[in-house]
Amino acid sequence: MFDNWDDLKKSIENCKKCKLCTNRTNIVFGSGNKNADIMFIGEGPGADEDVQGLPFVGKAGKLMNMAFEGLGIKREDVYITNIVKCRPPQNRVPEANEAEACLNYLRNQVILVKPKIIVLLGSTALKNILGSDLSITASRGKWIEKKGIYYMPTWHPAALLRDENKKIEFWNDLKSVKEKII
Ligand code: URA
Ligand code: SF4
């Protein structure tokens, strides 16, 4: 564990702890407010994120931005990162061994940010953070408190692109996050 951002970031930039290192263009460390009250955790970088080295800058990210704007959540006020920091090939779900290899970096980020709320975007984030037995369909929209942090599981924004009906639920989940903080 590192007590500062620079050392943590450097260690990830050189990381070869799993095979996802072989195809990455850039690591996607995370972005936003390093002292945020709210942290968002996605799955892993896609093609756009891999090229830019930033989380949620592609199609799914743009949809998330629209929800943020509508709800008055500023991207620069929250912290956004992923379960794995390197892009899985063809955007496949990270394997258990890859997520496991990368998870200590995320734990370190959580320790440094000290968020009050963590929004888990989709099944991969939910299962790796709160338990592999949990289903996103059953868990979404319900607060889970663990060691003083409030977790809100919700749909991954990419799921909204495939299923319009999920948009309203995503919106409502983020609304409940916004309301908890004010
Ligand atoms: N999907 C994710 O899970 N994370 C990103 O950063 C982009 C798309
Ligand atoms: Fe290291 Fe994580 Fe990238 Fe794997 S995904 S190489 S563990 S930074």
Side-chain angles (χ1 to χ4, degrees), residues 28 42-46 49 54-57 60 82 156:
V28 176
E43 178 174 293
E49 290 78 18
L54 290 166
F56 286 101
V57 290
N82 284 303
H156 190 287

Side-chain angles (χ1 to χ4, degrees), residues 12 15-18 20-21 24 84-86 101-102 105:
I12 301 180
C15 182
K16 293 192 173 123
K17 285 204 292 183
C18 85
L20 296 181
C21 71
R24 74 178 169 223
V84 291
K85 311 309 191 206
C86 306
C102 213
Y105 297 131

